[in-house]
Amino acid sequence: MRGGLTSTFNVQITIEDGTSDERSYVVTIDDITDLVQAQRSTAWADVARRIAHEIKNPLTPIQLSAERIRRRYGKVITEDREVFDQCVETIVRQVGDIGRMVDDFEQRLSETPLYGHFDSRLLGQAFGNIIKNASEAIEAVTGEDDYHGHILLKAYQDKDQLIVEVIDNGKGLPGDNRQRLLEPYMTTREKGTGLGLAIVRKIVEDHGGHMELHDAPADFYNGRGAMIRMVFPATSPDAVVKADNNTTEELQA
């Protein structure tokens, strides 16, 4: 623990034999905190996708079966007809709620590949931090009936720029001095470290891009929530073919 934050280090010790009275030690210490966090975020994202897939698969047959039961036996059942109707309606309604919950996390990506030079590990960490912030902004909304959190991911090309937007319908960003949220140790959350957006900003700028903090667009829940926009320089497909495959990533992938 350093300054209230947990760091992870990889420590290697090599012993070099000398004389009988002397022995040398070479100690190598690597800070792998970012690597561990990126691996953890990637693992959780993969788990979330798999869970969403496994949840959504049986929803359609469940709903169709419930509706078929209602059509087939609704006119036959005379005793406890009210209970029958309530049970079928509960099944259909709950299945719909689960489906909407799974669909609340969606994405809109460009139909054509977006090319650029990227460090996939660092960008994975950046995107993970932004999505984590969006989910926490949604969790901060309490006491509202019929509220459903929604995170929208968009990626597209505008001339010579690649645009990635993460939009949520959470509590939104402060109106004053919001750009200061990109500075280290600036946060609006009680338990926030103030490092998430600062790290993302550094990663984006290291890729030759910049970040923008906006309110959600008007056509997204009437402008409720926030939109984090990350802008990167685009690269032509020909340049990608010539580039080193180890340092070039296709954004859509």
Side-chain angles (χ1 to χ4, degrees):
M1 297 290 294
R2 295 188 303 172
L5 300 177
T6 300
S7 298
T8 305
F9 295 89
N10 180 39
V11 181
Q12 297 182 352
I13 302 176
T14 303
I15 302 176
E16 296 184 356
D17 292 329
T19 64
S20 58
D21 297 329
E22 295 181 354
R23 178 171 291 179
S24 299
Y25 297 88
V26 178
V27 181
T28 303
I29 302 176
D30 293 323
D31 187 345
I32 59 172
T33 304
D34 291 344
L35 175 61
V36 172
Q37 180 61 38
Q39 291 174 338
R40 186 177 296 131
S41 299
T42 301
W44 275 112
D46 183 62
V47 170
R49 284 192 296 268
R50 292 176 183 271
I51 291 176
H53 179 74
E54 294 300 324
I55 289 176
K56 203 167 183 179
N57 272 348
L59 293 184
T60 299
I62 291 174
Q63 181 171 352
L64 292 177
S65 297
E67 293 174 346
R68 184 177 181 183
I69 290 174
R70 179 165 54 190
R71 290 194 304 269
R72 177 67 177 82
Y73 300 103
K75 298 179 181 180
V76 178
I77 295 178
T78 56
E79 292 186 20
D80 296 328
R81 175 58 187 270
E82 184 178 352
V83 174
F84 172 82
D85 290 338
Q86 288 178 350
C87 290
V88 173
E89 180 60 31
T90 298
I91 294 173
V92 174
R93 185 177 66 254
Q94 294 296 333
V95 166
D97 289 343
I98 295 173
R100 283 188 294 272
M101 179 185 67
V102 174
D103 289 336
D104 276 344
F105 188 89
E106 63 181 59
Q107 57 186 10
R108 295 179 190 172
L109 301 180
S110 172
E111 295 181 357
T112 58
L114 307 178
Y115 294 101
H117 298 284
F118 305 104
D119 183 308
S120 59
R121 181 184 67 83
L122 291 178
L123 277 192
Q125 179 185 0
F127 296 158
N129 281 352
I130 295 297
I131 294 172
K132 178 175 179 290
N133 282 355
S135 65
E136 290 175 350
I138 289 173
E139 291 176 356
V141 178
T142 59
E144 295 188 19
D145 296 332
D146 298 326
Y147 171 76
H148 297 283
H150 188 165
I151 299 175
L152 173 63
L153 307 183
K154 299 176 64 177
Y156 57 95
Q157 183 165 351
D158 183 11
K159 298 180 180 178
D160 60 346
Q161 294 181 326
L162 303 180
I163 314 295
V164 179
E165 295 173 345
V166 180
I167 311 172
D168 69 78
N169 64 341
K171 67 176 184 178
L173 298 170
D176 298 329
N177 299 320
R178 66 173 52 172
Q179 286 297 122
R180 295 196 62 193
L181 293 176
L182 298 177
E183 300 175 5
Y185 306 110
M186 290 298 299
T187 181
T188 59
R189 302 196 308 269
E190 181 179 351
K191 297 182 180 180
T193 63
L195 292 175
L197 288 180
I199 292 174
V200 174
R201 177 185 182 180
K202 178 66 166 55
I203 293 174
V204 172
E205 290 179 348
D206 285 347
H207 283 79
H210 68 273
M211 285 183 64
E212 301 173 3
L213 307 183
H214 299 275
D215 295 325
D219 59 354
F220 184 83
Y221 294 90
N222 297 318
R224 172 176 183 163
M227 177 174 69
I228 308 299
R229 175 180 291 149
M230 291 162 280
V231 182
F232 302 92
T235 303
S236 67
D238 292 338
V240 170
V241 172
K242 298 177 182 178
D244 182 357
N245 291 331
N246 293 328
T247 59
T248 303
E249 300 290 340
E250 183 178 308
L251 181 59
Q252 192 170 13

